[in-house]
Amino acid sequence: QEQVVESGGGLVQAGGSLRLSCVASINNFRITDMGWYRQAPGKQRDLVAFITDTGSATYAGSVKGRFTIFRENAKNTMFLQMDSLKPEDSAVYYCKVNGFRLWSTSDTYWGQGTQVIVSS
């Protein structure tokens, strides 16, 4: 009844592409912002990109021009198109969902992540 699931990760060569997907299944919940974060071994979890319910997108400087975030609101689904991948992009990528319950309380949900490995 409350579920956020990422998919689309894998192993690719440098310069390759992947598309990540995030599907949110949360009852009595209006989704506002959705975002992608990533965490490499021994590192903090950092913002990659986020997108509002009106389609306004923001990117980390390290991925700007290479990654594109978009969403399909009616399906509660968000995507991250990753092009020109570099080894330093290797990490577990997490989906974060922000929104409000019908009784006007805010909440945040995280998926369990999908792994991306970019080889040299």
Side-chain angles (χ1 to χ4, degrees):
Q1 55 186 15
E2 295 179 345
Q3 185 173 239
V4 178
V5 179
E6 304 98 332
S7 62
L11 192 154
V12 297
Q13 291 184 321
S17 298
L18 286 173
R19 178 176 290 187
L20 307 183
S21 300
C22 172
V23 180
S25 301
I26 310 171
N27 59 345
N28 299 320
F29 195 76
R30 169 175 161 73
I31 297 173
T32 53
D33 300 340
M34 302 181 74
W36 289 99
Y37 293 71
R38 66 187 182 187
Q39 187 170 24
K43 301 290 186 178
Q44 294 183 332
R45 186 175 298 185
D46 293 326
L47 174 69
V48 177
F50 73 89
I51 185 167
T52 69
D53 54 352
T54 58
S56 180
T58 301
Y59 299 90
S62 59
V63 307
K64 191 176 299 182
R66 299 188 297 118
F67 292 8
T68 303
I69 187 171
F70 59 103
R71 60 192 286 179
E72 297 182 4
N73 292 341
K75 299 178 180 179
N76 294 326
T77 303
M78 176 182 64
F79 305 90
L80 184 69
Q81 177 67 42
M82 304 186 295
D83 298 320
S84 301
L85 283 163
K86 303 175 181 180
E88 51 263 44
D89 295 319
S90 297
V92 176
Y93 284 70
Y94 297 91
C95 176
K96 182 183 180 183
V97 179
N98 296 319
F100 297 89
R101 298 193 179 279
L102 295 182
W103 48 92
S104 299
T105 58
S106 63
D107 212 343
T108 299
Y109 295 89
W110 289 90
Q112 290 191 314
T114 184
Q115 188 171 44
V116 172
I117 300 176
V118 184
S119 62
S120 301

